[in-house]
Each structure stands twice: as structure tokens, then as C-alpha cells.
Amino acid sequence: MSQLAVLALAAGGAIALQASMNAQLGVLLKSAMLATSVAFLCSCLFTVAALLTATKQYPQWHEVRAVPIYLWFSGGALSAFGVAMFYYLIPKMGVGSMMSYALSGQIIIAVLASHFGWFDLPVKPLSLVKLIGAVTLIFGVFLLNLEPSNGH
């Protein structure tokens, strides 16, 4: 397994842990939105600290101005929606169910984004093998979320 794959697995594990912890924060504070705000405030502090300590070169003003306006706000809006839904749904569904459905949504959109090269990302055409993998994943999510029949 490559170092990048290990980092990707660690990132996924970190997301599952932080979502579980912040969902509990939302339950204790009686507000998923307050927990989301706390999480993003802390994330902002950590990322600004990392930016200031690790960035060697900042973009030029003309490069900043060339960024389409939707890229400044849409990622943050989608992130806030996704994170808030995690914190809202985990106490209701459980972390395993929520993460399995969320992973399925991520895979479906990622496959489409890769196939069409959205946002100038590298094009990775959808193949039969990838399609089978995505369908298998979704079937796995279905199996993970089957409720026990209690012997009936």
C-alpha cells in the first residue's frame, strides 16, 4: 500500500472520529449547528496556523483575482452543509450508517467528477470495473444498513 493510500485511510478515519466526537458535542450543546460552528472555528484556527508556518509562497494578486467567484464560497457552503448533516444525523442513525451512506454519496459524485473532469481535474473515464465497484459499494451499504429480523 502506498504512502498516499495510508494517508487517505488516515484521513477517512479522522473524519469518522471527528464527526462522532462533534456529533456528541452537538447533542450535549443541544445544537448541531453550534457544534458545526465550533468545529469550523477550530478548523479555521488550525488551518491558519498551518498556513502561516508551512506556506513558502503566496499567490500574486492577479492570480487571486482570476479565481472564479463561485470557488471562493461554494466549497465552504458545501462543507458546512455536509458537516452539519453529519453532526445532525449521527446521533439519529449511528456513525456506521451515516458514514456508509456518506461514503456512497462521495463515491458516486467522485466517479462522476472524475469521468467528466469537473473543475479542471484529471479525466478518469468510467469503466465497467469502476461501475461494478461503485454498484458493489452501494450494495455493501445496503447490507450494512439492514436491520436484524429478530428471528422473524
Side-chain angles (χ1 to χ4, degrees):
M1 186 178 305
S2 74
Q3 288 179 330
L4 295 178
V6 171
L7 283 174
L9 285 170
I15 289 170
L17 287 173
Q18 72 83 21
S20 299
M21 294 166 71
N22 286 327
Q24 181 63 21
L25 178 64
V27 168
L28 295 172
L29 296 175
K30 296 178 179 50
S31 173
M33 289 309 297
L34 182 55
T36 303
S37 297
V38 168
F40 276 106
L41 177 63
C42 292
S43 294
C44 182
L45 295 174
F46 284 114
T47 55
V48 167
L51 170 76
L52 295 175
T53 59
T55 302
K56 294 178 176 60
Q57 181 179 358
Y58 294 94
Q60 299 294 315
W61 180 245
H62 71 277
E63 294 168 319
V64 171
R65 290 186 54 215
V67 175
I69 192 76
Y70 73 92
L71 290 178
W72 288 106
F73 302 103
S74 57
L78 289 169
S79 183
F81 169 76
V83 168
M85 289 300 98
F86 272 48
Y87 302 166
Y88 174 75
L89 292 170
I90 286 172
K92 295 171 180 4
M93 300 174 69
V95 68
S97 291
M98 176 55 200
M99 286 295 170
S100 64
Y101 285 116
L103 177 61
S104 295
Q106 289 175 332
I107 294 296
I108 291 166
I109 296 301
V111 166
L112 289 171
S114 293
H115 179 76
F116 293 110
W118 293 347
F119 311 110
D120 293 326
L121 295 172
V123 173
K124 305 279 185 167
L126 181 61
S127 66
L128 180 60
V129 171
K130 287 181 186 179
L131 182 61
I132 291 169
V135 169
T136 303
L137 172 73
I138 293 166
F139 182 68
V141 168
F142 170 75
L143 292 176
L144 284 169
N145 289 289
L146 276 178
E147 294 295 325
S149 63
N150 294 327
H152 296 100

